[in-house]
Amino acid sequence: QVQLVESGGGLVQAGGTLRLSCAASGSIFRLNNMGWYRQAPGKQRELVALITSGGTTNYADSVKGRFSISRDNAKNTVYLQMNSLKFGDTAVYYCKARVVPNGTYMEFDYWGPGTQVTVSS
């Protein structure tokens, strides 16, 4: 089994910063793409940022220039640095990892339980 645990969410004023972390653990042979998604009340879950195992990144237009995704492959951890936060960034943030578990050659997607980010205006 593979587990993802997010941390770093909380309450922050508009213009502030937060850094989210997501650590993957368990029976991992290879950790491929990792990403952050968010879901605001009444809205669909959306991609925020994605990073490949080689470090290539992709961002939603709404966060470009403000958010930065990075990863530490030695720690199986992905980070999301969020700067200049806006009220509209308020959501539950989820980590997703595409994993090849030990003993298989197949990829599976795993999700963390989510962490709340609330930005006050």
Side-chain angles (χ1 to χ4, degrees):
Q1 275 288 24
V2 175
Q3 298 83 35
L4 301 180
V5 178
E6 300 108 336
S7 61
L11 174 64
V12 64
Q13 287 188 332
T17 65
L18 281 175
R19 188 188 193 215
L20 306 183
S21 300
C22 172
S25 62
S27 182
I28 299 171
F29 174 70
R30 187 170 66 243
L31 200 55
N32 292 333
N33 291 358
M34 300 186 78
W36 288 96
Y37 293 72
R38 67 186 181 187
Q39 187 167 18
K43 295 187 177 181
Q44 289 189 328
R45 191 173 298 189
E46 63 176 359
L47 173 68
V48 176
L50 185 73
I51 186 167
T52 68
S53 57
T56 300
T57 58
N58 188 35
Y59 296 93
D61 287 343
S62 59
V63 307
K64 281 180 181 176
R66 300 188 298 121
F67 291 10
S68 178
I69 189 171
S70 60
R71 62 190 287 170
D72 184 333
N73 290 330
K75 297 181 178 179
N76 287 344
T77 299
V78 64
Y79 305 96
L80 186 68
Q81 178 67 42
M82 303 187 293
N83 301 328
S84 302
L85 281 160
K86 303 176 180 180
F87 178 74
D89 294 319
T90 296
V92 178
Y93 284 69
Y94 298 90
C95 171
K96 187 178 89 168
R98 182 153 291 177
V99 179
V100 177
N102 284 328
T104 80
Y105 294 97
M106 298 175 62
E107 289 182 320
F108 297 90
D109 286 339
Y110 293 87
W111 290 88
T115 184
Q116 177 70 46
V117 171
T118 302
V119 184
S120 62
S121 58

